[in-house]
Amino acid sequence: MTRIMVFGTFDMVHPGHENLFQQARALAQEPHLIVSIATDKNVERIKGKKPRHSQTERRALVAANPLVDEAVIGDEAGYVEHIRALRPDIIALGYDQTGEYVDTLQEDLTKAGLSVNVMRLQAFEPERFKTSKLHDERNR
């Protein structure tokens, strides 16, 4: 079994997220997909606004997806210990994930003595399936 980890807010689960889960699972013959849900405080700090749904609601939504083997809520501060505890073999990043948790991820993992393969996944119709765009369309 290969433990594959993805991170995100997941305020909704749309076809772009399902494609992310499928791409991540395709990285191994016997995948175990772990989805780490950003905490409410981290979403607000990073995106500048609160998520529409609580971290508990978002975790439950993701956990109900048949492509997901394990859904967890991320750490409030940092991420290395969170990753160490979950022991992924692979971290699969979305095509658009950047910023404080991503830019130095491989370097931080190496410094912490963790051997994790970090991979970047492909976009899936980002002009149609991006949470911010879908929320905007629903609010019209």
Side-chain angles (χ1 to χ4, degrees), residues 72-91:
V72 299
I73 296 172
D75 279 350
E76 200 64 49
Y79 57 90
V80 172
E81 291 309 314
H82 178 63
I83 293 169
R84 185 187 311 277
L86 291 164
R87 304 177 335 273
D89 301 294
I90 299 169
I91 292 176

Side-chain angles (χ1 to χ4, degrees), residues 61-76:
L61 177 68
V62 169
N65 189 294
L67 295 169
V68 175
D69 296 301
E70 192 175 344
V72 299
I73 296 172
D75 279 350
E76 200 64 49

